[in-house]
Amino acid sequence: MKFTEGYWRVREGFTALHPRVIHDVRVSDDARSMTVFAPTNPIEHRGMTLSNPELTLSLSAPADDVIAVTVEHFTGRRHATPDFELNEPGASRVTADADDAAVIFASGDLSLVLDRATAQFEFRRPDGSVLTGSGFKGVGSLVGPEGQEFVHQQLSLGVGETVIGLGERFGPVAKNGQVVDMWNDDSGTSSDRSYKNIPFYMTDRGYGVFVDHPEEASFEVGSEKVGRVQFSVPGQRLTYYVILGPSPKEVLTKYTALTGRPPRLPHWSYGLWLTTSFLTDYDAETVSAFIDGMAERDIPLSAFHYDCFWMREFQWCDFEWDARYFPDPVARIADHHDKGVRVCLWINPYIGARSPLFEEGKEKGYLLRLEDGGVYQTDFWQSGMGLVDFTNPEAREWYAGYLDRLLDQGVDAFKTDFGESVPTDVVYHDGSDPQRMHNYYTHLYNRTVHELLERRKGKGNAVLFARSATAGGQTMPVHWGGDCEATHVAMAETVRGGVSLASSGFGYWAHDIGGFEGKPSNDLYKRWVAFGLLSSHSRLHGSHSVRVPWEFDEEAVDVLREFTTLKLSLLPTLAMIAEDTVTQGVPMMRHLLLEFPDDPGVARLDHQYMLGPDLMVAPVLTPDGTVDYYLPAGGWTNLLTGARAERGWQREVHDVHTLPLMVRDGAVLAFQDGRRDTEGSLLEGLRLRVFPGESGTRTLTLRSGFEADAQEVEATVTVTDDAVEVTALGLPEGWSLEVERALVPSVSGVARIQRG
């Protein structure tokens, strides 16, 4: 939201207060927090302390290298809820000091230095260099023409500094020049709106900023003041956290320590998912034909998803199978399981008026209410529907109880659709503020379902397929990209959305392979298949048309088989990548900035990403197969073709069986050739493929699976000018080493290949 007209003038109808001087500083008794009092007019004599509004800056150290700042004008206002649930252990090293010239507050290696004469301040690295700062009029408390109240903070950007993050956004990944408002909306993938608004950004200078407000925070990213990021919220109070990396990876590690790490996911979730699609005609026989058709064509399938019409029309949600089309769901689910296929069901948090649950929810107070006590209803989506009030513990238990019965039938996962179109003219059971609940509603919805799955399936075995989220939503995966068109342009939007979400702390992500709206061309389907199977999670899904490959052509069948088999063969590598996601908060699919923070060429890349630390993926987004992509320093090998390339921009043409899937020199990838499903140990019969780079030694930890108690085996890889040697004494016999197309079996836990 803009508050100025150009550099000098305040927007018409607004009045603004900005700190001009620091008058007083108070340090807490334990010296771990500090309060700064900053009048908004200069003080030249005692009389100027009268009618001189003060802004208060409260500083604390919630964790090492993290400083929290709260800016307030009137401090007596009632604090509205909900709040984000944050993990704040406190910093191990805190400094709070002040003299006549400056105020210094430090958390670990991050320090905040405030100039007493101007009330301007800087966040600094240990060497004294500036990360970012608040300059002239950088802090403001404002009142609009109709009495609206706002607080803003502007933090400086350096020359060429690039901002990424702020949730799943489908425009340019670099947010510079954009206005980004945090307001969840059901708007598809082709606008500036988003299903997943995350008030966190980071920059290529090695720090991140988290705005601790679930309501509509507004970000002006170099768009109001071109050298600043401004964020503002309604009211009299603004809290934000500055996080020092110093690397981008470390920023995400510290951010997810604050807001929650992504949890483990079960092995089967990494395989191929297929769905009924949305509006197609389907019944139990259709589903069986899809599953059997995949098996007949030798395409491994891990999960099948039943979309909305597993329930009767006008009844969503009543959580009852439509007996006209699914007369014996328990037997059907058992049959799917016998074929190695898990089952996911579509749900949403809305209760249509025709559903028997509506009257029950109405009578018991489980639905959102109006000011007059009546139930809020709308004809959006389902006629006369109400929304479950997840702030009511009894309503959560009631809702989860219906899902529990479905788990008793054998259901494995739920697609938690919707949760964005939440009204603000309602009353919540716990008195939550409707503005703050708009984005947070989905958090309570997804948590209700995720906690049920964890109780029933165990930690590490709960899987959602969620569309909407706010900060902390990464703790309840998986999330998918929402309703995209079946076009090459929309596939590019989807790539950008995934990279943006990954830069916002989300470790796992999927999308509708082939696009949702419309039927993809044969070429687009095959291109999207390659992209989809090189994502952390992979699901074929559409709206009016199905996504089984034989609906396109025989080549589509081949392409889906090839990339599904490739992903399964890479499961040992994906397990190592996922372990970093769980323990460090580093996403599986990631912006190149995380791996190449010192390369000025990567910050604004839009259409490529890293899958783990060593694999670079550039989806083919054009009908003619042309793809432009950038390679950072070092040598690279295309995993599919063997072609070599060096640093710089590349232009290539690919058929539908290949794409730029580039492996950096120095990488070690673990394969299980011939794998047909996600079951069993990931340590048996490994092929360790080494892509030699500079001489040296690298250690990797191989895992038998994705679970917490998986067996771990260390492998030491030594590269010299003459040879490559791998020692992995704990690996089961039968593994092999591959280097530059030479393949040798291991002997007593060691394999060696001469080079040259």
Side-chain angles (χ1 to χ4, degrees):
M1 182 174 184
K2 291 180 172 62
F3 299 105
T4 58
E5 297 176 357
Y7 184 77
W8 303 108
R9 298 186 304 278
V10 176
R11 185 173 158 188
E12 185 175 354
F14 279 79
T15 59
L17 299 173
H18 303 286
R20 295 292 301 274
V21 65
I22 294 176
H23 178 261
D24 194 13
V25 177
R26 295 177 186 173
V27 178
S28 63
D29 292 341
D30 61 2
R32 299 186 64 84
S33 62
M34 176 182 283
T35 305
V36 177
F37 299 92
T40 55
N41 291 307
I43 300 176
E44 298 174 0
H45 53 77
R46 285 183 174 182
M48 297 186 74
T49 64
L50 305 176
S51 299
N52 189 345
E54 277 189 322
L55 297 188
T56 302
L57 280 67
S58 301
L59 314 177
S60 63
D64 284 332
D65 307 327
V66 181
I67 292 177
V69 180
T70 297
V71 179
E72 292 179 276
H73 181 203
F74 295 144
T75 59
R77 294 289 176 85
R78 183 183 71 87
H79 177 66
T81 57
D83 295 302
F84 291 124
E85 297 175 353
L86 304 180
N87 306 309
E88 301 189 36
S92 60
R93 292 183 291 119
V94 181
T95 300
D97 197 12
D99 57 27
D100 291 341
V103 177
I104 300 175
F105 186 82
S107 167
D109 288 335
L110 176 65
S111 61
L112 173 58
V113 180
L114 301 96
D115 178 49
R116 297 192 76 135
T118 64
Q120 298 176 29
F121 53 86
E122 296 175 336
F123 292 91
R124 296 181 181 176
R125 302 179 182 89
D127 63 2
S129 59
V130 176
L131 277 176
T132 186
S134 177
F136 179 59
K137 296 185 179 180
V139 175
S141 174
L142 303 103
V143 178
E146 298 178 6
Q148 319 98 301
E149 298 171 336
F150 301 92
V151 181
H152 80 58
Q153 172 70 73
Q154 297 174 351
L155 294 178
S156 60
L157 292 171
V159 175
E161 185 172 356
T162 300
V163 175
I164 61 175
L166 295 175
E168 183 187 56
R169 317 207 78 85
F170 304 102
V173 172
K175 301 303 184 292
N176 300 62
Q178 298 182 39
V179 180
V180 182
D181 293 328
M182 300 288 109
W183 195 253
N184 285 2
D185 197 15
D186 176 6
S187 294
T189 69
S190 59
S191 74
D192 61 348
R193 300 187 180 190
S194 173
Y195 304 104
K196 308 172 189 69
N197 287 276
I198 314 300
F200 165 80
Y201 69 85
M202 63 178 180
T203 88
D204 56 354
R205 302 301 164 90
Y207 68 94
V209 177
F210 169 56
V211 178
D212 185 17
H213 288 262
E215 70 268 37
E216 187 176 15
S218 180
F219 290 78
E220 297 277 348
V221 187
S223 49
E224 180 165 13
K225 297 288 188 296
V226 295
R228 299 179 180 182
V229 176
Q230 174 178 286
F231 41 91
S232 60
V233 295
Q236 292 279 330
R237 184 174 186 269
L238 166 64
T239 297
Y240 65 95
Y241 295 68
V242 174
I243 303 167
L244 171 66
S247 71
K249 272 188 182 178
E250 290 169 300
V251 171
L252 284 181
T253 293
K254 293 168 184 176
Y255 168 71
T256 55
L258 182 69
T259 58
R261 292 264 201 264
R264 297 181 186 279
L265 291 170
H267 56 88
W268 60 265
S269 72
Y270 292 91
L272 177 63
W273 297 48
L274 176 63
T275 83
T276 57
S277 288
F278 172 33
L279 293 173
T280 56
D281 291 327
Y282 53 85
D283 57 16
E285 286 67 35
T286 309
V287 173
S288 292
F290 282 178
I291 293 174
D292 292 343
M294 298 289 275
E296 290 163 6
R297 292 165 176 83
D298 196 26
I299 301 172
L301 186 65
S302 291
F304 191 89
H305 167 71
Y306 288 80
D307 217 50
C308 314
F309 285 95
W310 70 272
M311 289 180 281
R312 197 178 183 102
E313 67 274 8
F314 288 104
Q315 305 259 115
W316 307 341
C317 284
D318 64 359
F319 306 112
E320 294 288 342
W321 291 86
D322 187 342
R324 297 172 300 177
Y325 304 114
F326 305 101
D328 192 354
V330 174
R332 286 288 177 177
I333 293 170
D335 180 65
H336 298 341
H337 286 169
D338 288 343
K339 294 173 181 177
V341 177
R342 266 67 173 195
V343 174
C344 176
L345 293 185
W346 177 92
I347 61 172
N348 69 192
Y350 312 144
I351 309 295
R354 201 191 291 188
S355 168
L357 276 66
F358 183 87
E359 283 301 317
E360 184 182 359
K362 172 185 171 183
E363 292 303 316
K364 294 183 177 180
Y366 294 164
L367 304 177
L368 293 184
R369 294 189 177 273
L370 300 168
E371 289 283 352
D372 65 5
V375 173
Y376 171 87
Q377 290 183 266
T378 177
D379 287 328
F380 166 75
W381 189 240
Q382 292 289 283
S383 175
M385 74 177 195
L387 286 74
V388 177
D389 184 349
F390 290 103
T391 71
N392 184 340
E394 291 183 4
R396 293 198 299 269
E397 185 177 351
W398 171 72
Y399 186 87
Y402 283 98
L403 302 183
D404 207 18
R405 299 173 196 176
L406 295 168
L407 296 179
D408 287 340
Q409 296 176 5
V411 171
D412 299 287
F414 294 107
K415 172 183 171 180
T416 49
D417 205 354
F418 288 85
E420 308 93 355
S421 301
V422 183
T424 56
D425 55 343
V426 291
V427 176
Y428 284 89
H429 171 81
D430 71 347
S432 286
D433 177 77
Q435 293 288 334
R436 292 174 72 92
M437 272 300 301
H438 175 84
N439 292 344
Y440 201 74
Y441 180 90
T442 183
H443 194 77
L444 299 181
Y445 161 43
N446 283 317
R447 187 169 68 184
T448 298
V449 183
H450 193 263
E451 286 180 348
L452 169 66
L453 287 167
E454 284 197 325
R455 287 197 304 271
R456 289 293 306 270
K457 305 288 186 180
K459 288 187 180 295
N461 289 303
V463 182
L464 304 183
F465 229 83
R467 188 172 75 175
S468 54
T470 186
Q474 69 270 10
T475 61
M476 299 167 286
V478 172
H479 294 80
W480 101 96
D483 299 346
C484 49
E485 295 178 334
T487 66
H488 290 85
V489 170
M491 182 161 62
E493 295 166 0
T494 301
V495 175
R496 295 194 295 266
V499 174
S500 184
L501 188 66
S503 304
S504 308
F506 283 65
Y508 314 101
W509 181 73
H511 42 95
D512 291 343
I513 296 174
F516 180 72
E517 291 290 351
K519 183 175 181 179
S521 67
N522 291 359
D523 173 80
L524 176 63
Y525 178 85
K526 298 164 198 173
R527 303 293 187 186
W528 211 315
V529 160
F531 167 36
L533 271 299
L534 291 168
S535 303
S536 80
H537 288 77
S538 311
R539 187 185 71 158
L540 296 157
H541 183 60
S543 179
H544 290 78
S545 57
V546 299
R547 294 293 178 264
V548 290
W550 54 89
E551 283 292 313
F552 299 90
D553 58 27
E554 282 305 308
E555 187 178 51
V557 173
D558 294 338
V559 169
L560 181 59
R561 182 190 307 113
E562 291 164 11
F563 281 98
T564 302
T565 302
L566 172 65
K567 185 174 187 182
L568 291 175
S569 74
L570 279 167
L571 281 181
T573 297
L574 295 179
M576 291 188 285
I577 298 170
E579 191 65 11
D580 280 346
T581 299
V582 172
T583 60
Q584 303 299 318
V586 180
M588 294 188 71
M589 302 168 66
R590 59 192 70 161
H591 196 297
L592 270 71
L593 181 65
L594 271 65
E595 297 301 331
F596 305 96
D598 298 322
D599 188 330
V602 305
R604 299 193 177 224
L605 294 176
D606 266 351
H607 298 136
Q608 58 189 92
Y609 58 91
M610 299 296 293
L611 181 58
D614 297 318
L615 280 165
M616 195 286 297
V617 184
V620 178
L621 305 172
T622 58
D624 66 1
T626 302
V627 56
D628 295 319
Y629 65 98
Y630 176 81
L631 291 176
W636 296 77
T637 302
N638 188 308
L639 184 63
L640 302 177
T641 68
R644 292 282 296 168
E646 301 291 332
R647 178 180 184 174
W649 281 98
Q650 319 291 321
R651 171 166 289 183
E652 298 169 355
V653 178
H654 286 262
D655 64 28
V656 294
H657 300 277
T658 67
L659 77 165
L661 177 55
M662 309 301 292
V663 188
R664 67 196 291 191
D665 283 357
V668 182
L669 302 182
F671 294 86
Q672 273 186 323
D673 300 316
R675 177 174 273 280
R676 308 305 302 162
D677 56 37
T678 62
E679 305 296 323
S681 172
L682 299 179
L683 296 178
E684 300 285 345
L686 288 186
R687 172 169 57 96
L688 299 181
R689 185 171 177 187
V690 178
F691 297 79
E694 297 179 357
S695 296
T697 298
R698 175 176 178 176
T699 300
L700 61 154
T701 302
L702 300 160
R703 309 188 85 250
S704 64
F706 293 88
E707 60 273 11
D709 60 354
Q711 179 188 354
E712 294 187 341
V713 175
E714 279 200 355
T716 302
V717 182
T718 302
V719 176
T720 67
D721 291 340
D722 302 321
V724 175
E725 181 175 289
V726 176
T727 302
L729 300 180
L731 271 185
E733 290 295 329
W735 64 272
S736 60
L737 169 64
E738 181 181 6
V739 180
E740 297 167 349
R741 300 191 182 278
L743 183 69
V744 300
S746 62
V747 178
S748 300
V750 179
R752 180 182 175 88
I753 290 180
Q754 293 295 128
R755 301 180 67 188

